[in-house]
Amino acid sequence: MAPETPPREPRDPGGGPSDSDATARRASNAPARSAGIGKGPGTLLVTLYGIFTVGAASRSAVQLATRFDEAPLAYLLSAAAALVYAFITLSLVRGGERARRAALGCCCVELLGVLTVGTWTLVEPSAFPDATVWSDYGMGYLFIPVILPVTGLLWLRRSRSHGGPAAVGD
Amino acid sequence: MFTPLTVALAVAALALAVWCGWAAYRDQPTKDWHFIGMAVVSVLALAQLAVGIVRLAGGEDAAEGTVIFVAYLAAVAACVPVVGLISLTERTKWGSLTVAAGAVVLAVLQARLHEIWGGGGGA
């Protein structure tokens, strides 16, 4: 696919219903196929992933530095989650087809992680003396850890099949 | 730490979230009035940062540790300015929704901050 393409012009504030089929078709013919994964709804995803990167990274940094022995598994999992979040954030910001695929893969890893760790913490709580970001399916974080990868997957799939941000509109 | 300020900040943040969420619902980007609202919340957050540092300097301690407390204070102060800047680059309803999300995060941070300072118990 086309490697780097300039980001699309932001849509006009009042231009809600302008996303006709014609716009979509023109956009899918344009060389810029997925330059917009960090635009529009992607902006919100970037922000949320950014927040979770900072949250998970600082949390695990503090825990690993101060009391690694208490719950090594939980803290290492938090650190792994932070890495996944950081990678997805960067991919979304960079844009382009390769970044989109990388982010797609990472969202799958993330979803698997949340589901596995979530189930694990419920089945065998003794393995986790302290909570991770993904404990109980992210309940301590308003379930955002489980909602985020699903939203991410939907968004990243959609920005491919419709050929760019123009078709995704609102 | 200083409970009235914490509560005020949480309420202001939630109000900002509702306001910007409403803008997003009406398919509008953030406007001047929203930025004034963000400025008000940011000033409150900076006041909280100042109060927190003064209390620490005065010899008091946060129940869950000074480092975590200061990190949360810094995150609180940075939260709304960052989403505000993002909404400047994203002039669609998604920019408004981003500010709303940031404001909700700020309110959650207030709840945590209260715990970190008082250990879940007193102020």
Side-chain angles (χ1 to χ4, degrees):
Chain A
M1 295 291 146
E4 289 297 331
T5 37
R8 268 183 55 87
E9 278 290 291
R11 276 184 335 113
D12 214 54
S18 73
D19 285 324
S20 62
D21 283 346
T23 338
R25 239 177 284 124
R26 234 178 296 135
S28 61
N29 291 338
R33 288 216 104 183
S34 46
I37 54 173
K39 283 276 150 200
T43 309
L44 183 61
L45 272 182
V46 169
T47 310
L48 288 176
Y49 270 115
I51 290 170
F52 269 85
T53 306
V54 173
S58 41
R59 179 187 176 136
S60 62
V62 167
Q63 291 174 331
L64 288 175
T66 56
R67 45 198 152 101
F68 176 70
D69 299 330
E70 278 178 36
L73 180 62
Y75 299 156
L76 285 176
L77 275 171
S78 283
L83 280 180
V84 174
Y85 286 134
F87 191 82
I88 297 176
T89 312
L90 283 179
S91 303
L92 284 171
V93 171
R94 278 201 57 205
E97 177 64 16
R98 273 178 65 185
R100 191 189 66 81
R101 285 193 189 166
L104 205 57
C106 272
C107 281
C108 292
V109 171
E110 187 195 345
L111 186 58
L112 270 178
V114 181
L115 294 180
T116 311
V117 174
T119 312
W120 195 356
T121 45
L122 289 181
V123 172
E124 200 188 342
S126 59
F128 295 89
D130 200 353
T132 77
V133 191
W134 290 344
S135 290
D136 306 332
Y137 305 108
M139 196 167 71
Y141 293 82
L142 308 172
F143 289 109
I144 294 174
V146 74
I147 299 168
L148 211 48
V150 175
T151 321
L153 284 174
L154 289 174
W155 164 242
L156 289 167
R157 278 176 57 93
R158 218 178 147 180
S159 36
R160 172 186 55 185
S161 54
H162 289 247
V168 182
D170 26 356
Chain B
M1 176 183 42
F2 183 50
T3 312
L5 183 56
T6 309
V7 173
L9 196 44
V11 170
L14 286 178
L16 181 68
V18 170
W19 191 17
C20 291
W22 174 244
Y25 177 73
R26 296 182 54 197
D27 204 3
Q28 287 174 346
T30 46
K31 306 228 169 92
D32 286 357
W33 282 106
H34 296 114
F35 284 101
I36 292 172
M38 287 180 231
V40 170
V41 174
S42 301
V43 166
L44 285 176
L46 285 174
Q48 188 179 47
L49 179 66
V51 170
I53 289 173
V54 167
R55 297 283 297 259
L56 282 178
E60 291 177 74
D61 270 326
E64 292 183 29
T66 307
V67 176
I68 298 178
F69 180 66
V70 173
Y72 267 83
L73 280 179
V76 163
C79 191
V80 167
V82 168
V83 288
L85 285 176
I86 293 174
S87 85
L88 275 179
T89 64
E90 177 68 42
R91 304 304 296 150
T92 65
K93 70 170 183 176
W94 296 104
S96 308
L97 208 53
T98 302
V99 176
V104 170
V105 167
L106 200 152
V108 173
L109 288 178
Q110 289 304 310
R112 277 289 294 143
L113 207 51
H114 188 71
E115 281 178 14
I116 291 167
W117 180 258

Coordinates of all heavy atoms in Angstrom, one line a residue, chain A residues 10-13 15-16 38-41 43-44 47-48 51 62 67 142 169-170, chain B residues 27-29 67-68 83 86 89-94 97-98 101-102 104-105 108:
Chain A
P10 N -9.1 18.2 8.0 CA -10.1 18.0 8.9 C -11.5 18.4 8.3 O -11.5 19.3 7.6 CB -9.8 18.9 10.1 CG -8.4 19.4 9.9 CD -8.1 19.2 8.4
R11 N -12.5 17.6 8.7 CA -13.8 17.9 8.1 C -14.3 19.2 8.6 O -14.1 19.6 9.7 CB -14.8 16.8 8.4 CG -14.6 15.7 7.4 CD -15.6 14.6 7.5 NE -16.1 14.4 8.8 CZ -17.4 14.6 9.1 NH1 -18.2 15.0 8.2 NH2 -17.9 14.4 10.3
D12 N -15.1 19.9 7.8 CA -15.8 21.1 8.2 C -16.7 20.8 9.4 O -17.4 19.8 9.3 CB -16.5 21.7 7.0 CG -16.5 23.2 7.0 OD1 -15.4 23.8 7.1 OD2 -17.6 23.8 7.0
P13 N -16.7 21.7 10.4 CA -17.6 21.4 11.5 C -19.0 21.1 11.2 O -19.6 20.2 11.7 CB -17.5 22.7 12.3 CG -16.2 23.4 11.9 CD -15.9 22.9 10.5
G15 N -20.2 20.1 8.4 CA -20.4 19.2 7.2 C -20.8 17.8 7.6 O -20.2 16.8 7.1
G16 N -21.8 17.7 8.4 CA -22.2 16.3 8.9 C -22.6 15.4 7.7 O -22.0 14.4 7.4
G38 N -5.6 7.7 12.8 CA -5.4 8.5 14.0 C -6.3 9.8 13.9 O -6.1 10.7 14.7
K39 N -7.2 9.8 13.0 CA -8.1 11.0 12.8 C -9.5 10.7 13.1 O -9.9 9.5 13.1 CB -8.0 11.5 11.4 CG -6.7 12.3 11.1 CD -6.8 13.7 11.5 CE -5.5 14.3 12.0 NZ -5.7 15.5 12.8
G40 N -10.3 11.7 13.3 CA -11.8 11.4 13.5 C -11.9 10.6 14.8 O -11.3 10.9 15.8
P41 N -12.7 9.5 14.7 CA -12.8 8.6 15.9 C -11.5 8.1 16.4 O -11.3 7.9 17.6 CB -13.7 7.5 15.4 CG -14.3 8.0 14.1 CD -13.4 9.0 13.6
T43 N -8.9 9.8 16.9 CA -8.4 10.8 17.8 C -8.8 10.3 19.3 O -7.9 10.3 20.2 CB -9.0 12.2 17.6 OG1 -8.8 12.5 16.2 CG2 -8.3 13.2 18.5
L44 N -10.0 10.0 19.4 CA -10.5 9.5 20.7 C -9.8 8.3 21.2 O -9.3 8.2 22.3 CB -12.0 9.3 20.7 CG -12.7 8.9 22.0 CD1 -12.5 10.0 23.0 CD2 -14.2 8.6 21.7
T47 N -6.3 9.1 22.3 CA -6.3 9.7 23.6 C -6.5 8.6 24.7 O -5.7 8.6 25.6 CB -7.4 10.7 23.7 OG1 -7.4 11.6 22.6 CG2 -7.3 11.5 25.0
L48 N -7.5 7.8 24.5 CA -7.7 6.7 25.5 C -6.5 5.8 25.6 O -6.1 5.5 26.7 CB -9.0 6.0 25.2 CG -10.3 6.8 25.3 CD1 -11.5 6.0 24.9 CD2 -10.4 7.2 26.8
I51 N -3.8 7.6 27.5 CA -4.1 7.6 28.9 C -3.8 6.3 29.6 O -3.1 6.2 30.6 CB -5.5 8.0 29.2 CG1 -5.8 9.5 28.8 CG2 -5.9 7.8 30.6 CD1 -7.2 9.9 28.8
V62 N 6.1 2.0 39.3 CA 6.1 2.1 40.7 C 6.1 0.8 41.4 O 6.9 0.5 42.3 CB 4.9 3.0 41.2 CG1 4.8 2.9 42.7 CG2 5.1 4.4 40.8
R67 N 7.9 -2.8 45.1 CA 7.5 -4.1 45.8 C 7.3 -5.2 44.8 O 6.2 -5.8 44.8 CB 6.3 -3.9 46.7 CG 5.2 -3.1 46.0 CD 4.2 -2.5 47.0 NE 3.6 -1.3 46.4 CZ 2.4 -1.2 45.9 NH1 1.7 -2.2 45.8 NH2 2.0 -0.1 45.4
L142 N -13.4 0.7 35.1 CA -14.7 0.9 34.4 C -14.9 0.0 33.1 O -15.5 0.4 32.2 CB -14.9 2.4 34.0 CG -14.7 3.4 35.1 CD1 -14.7 4.8 34.5 CD2 -15.7 3.3 36.1
G169 N -16.6 8.9 8.3 CA -17.4 10.1 8.7 C -17.7 10.1 10.2 O -16.9 10.1 11.0
D170 N -19.0 10.1 10.5 CA -19.4 10.1 11.9 C -20.0 8.8 12.3 O -19.5 7.9 12.9 CB -20.4 11.2 12.2 CG -21.2 11.6 11.0 OD1 -20.9 11.0 9.9 OD2 -22.1 12.4 11.1
Chain B
D27 N -22.9 17.1 17.1 CA -22.0 17.1 15.9 C -21.2 18.4 15.8 O -21.0 18.9 14.7 CB -22.8 16.8 14.6 CG -21.9 16.2 13.6 OD1 -20.7 16.0 13.9 OD2 -22.3 16.0 12.4
Q28 N -20.8 19.0 16.9 CA -20.1 20.2 16.9 C -18.7 20.0 17.5 O -18.5 19.3 18.4 CB -20.8 21.3 17.7 CG -22.1 21.8 17.0 CD -22.9 22.7 17.9 OE1 -22.7 22.8 19.1 NE2 -23.8 23.4 17.3
P29 N -17.7 20.8 16.9 CA -16.4 20.8 17.6 C -16.4 21.7 18.8 O -17.4 22.4 19.1 CB -15.5 21.4 16.5 CG -16.4 22.4 15.7 CD -17.8 21.7 15.8
V67 N 5.5 10.0 46.1 CA 5.7 9.9 44.7 C 4.4 9.7 43.9 O 4.1 10.4 43.0 CB 6.7 8.7 44.4 CG1 6.9 8.6 42.9 CG2 8.0 9.0 45.1
I68 N 3.6 8.8 44.4 CA 2.3 8.5 43.7 C 1.4 9.7 43.8 O 0.8 10.1 42.8 CB 1.6 7.3 44.3 CG1 2.5 6.0 44.2 CG2 0.3 7.0 43.7 CD1 2.0 4.8 44.8
V83 N -6.0 17.3 26.4 CA -7.2 17.0 25.6 C -7.7 18.3 24.9 O -8.2 18.2 23.7 CB -8.3 16.3 26.4 CG1 -8.0 14.9 26.7 CG2 -8.8 17.1 27.5
I86 N -5.6 18.6 21.8 CA -6.0 17.6 20.8 C -7.3 18.0 20.1 O -7.4 17.9 18.9 CB -6.2 16.2 21.5 CG1 -4.9 15.7 22.0 CG2 -6.9 15.2 20.6 CD1 -5.0 14.4 22.8
T89 N -6.7 20.3 17.2 CA -6.2 19.7 16.0 C -7.3 18.8 15.3 O -7.2 18.5 14.2 CB -5.0 18.8 16.2 OG1 -5.4 17.7 17.1 CG2 -3.9 19.5 16.9
E90 N -8.3 18.5 16.1 CA -9.4 17.6 15.6 C -10.7 18.4 15.7 O -11.4 18.4 16.7 CB -9.5 16.3 16.4 CG -10.6 15.4 16.0 CD -10.4 14.8 14.7 OE1 -9.3 14.4 14.3 OE2 -11.4 14.7 13.9
R91 N -11.0 19.2 14.6 CA -12.1 20.1 14.6 C -13.4 19.4 14.2 O -14.1 19.9 13.3 CB -11.8 21.3 13.7 CG -10.6 22.1 14.1 CD -10.5 22.6 15.5 NE -11.6 23.5 15.8 CZ -12.1 23.7 17.0 NH1 -11.7 22.9 18.0 NH2 -13.0 24.6 17.2
T92 N -13.7 18.3 14.8 CA -14.9 17.6 14.6 C -15.6 17.3 15.9 O -15.0 17.6 17.0 CB -14.7 16.3 13.8 OG1 -14.0 15.4 14.6 CG2 -14.0 16.6 12.5
K93 N -16.7 16.6 15.9 CA -17.3 16.2 17.1 C -16.4 15.2 17.9 O -16.5 15.1 19.1 CB -18.6 15.5 16.9 CG -18.5 14.2 16.2 CD -19.9 13.5 16.2 CE -19.9 12.1 15.6 NZ -21.2 11.5 15.7
W94 N -15.5 14.6 17.2 CA -14.6 13.6 17.9 C -13.6 14.4 18.8 O -13.2 13.9 19.8 CB -13.8 12.8 16.9 CG -14.8 11.9 16.2 CD1 -15.2 12.1 14.9 CD2 -15.5 10.8 16.7 NE1 -16.1 11.1 14.6 CE2 -16.3 10.3 15.6 CE3 -15.5 10.1 17.9 CZ2 -17.2 9.2 15.8 CZ3 -16.3 9.0 18.1 CH2 -17.1 8.6 17.0
L97 N -15.6 15.0 21.9 CA -15.8 13.7 22.7 C -14.5 13.4 23.4 O -14.5 12.9 24.5 CB -16.1 12.6 21.7 CG -16.9 11.4 22.3 CD1 -18.2 12.0 23.0 CD2 -17.3 10.4 21.2
T98 N -13.3 13.7 22.8 CA -12.0 13.5 23.4 C -11.9 14.4 24.7 O -11.5 13.9 25.7 CB -10.9 13.9 22.4 OG1 -11.0 13.1 21.3 CG2 -9.6 13.7 23.1
A101 N -14.0 12.8 27.3 CA -13.3 11.6 27.9 C -12.2 12.1 28.9 O -12.1 11.5 30.0 CB -12.7 10.8 26.8
G102 N -11.5 13.1 28.5 CA -10.4 13.6 29.4 C -11.0 14.1 30.7 O -10.4 13.9 31.8
V104 N -13.8 13.2 32.2 CA -14.2 12.0 33.0 C -13.0 11.4 33.7 O -13.0 11.1 34.9 CB -14.9 11.0 32.1 CG1 -15.1 9.7 32.9 CG2 -16.2 11.5 31.6
V105 N -11.9 11.3 32.9 CA -10.7 10.7 33.5 C -10.2 11.6 34.7 O -9.9 11.1 35.8 CB -9.5 10.6 32.5 CG1 -8.2 10.4 33.2 CG2 -9.9 9.5 31.5
V108 N -12.3 10.8 37.7 CA -11.8 9.6 38.3 C -10.5 9.8 39.1 O -10.4 9.3 40.2 CB -11.7 8.5 37.3 CG1 -11.1 7.2 37.9 CG2 -13.0 8.2 36.6

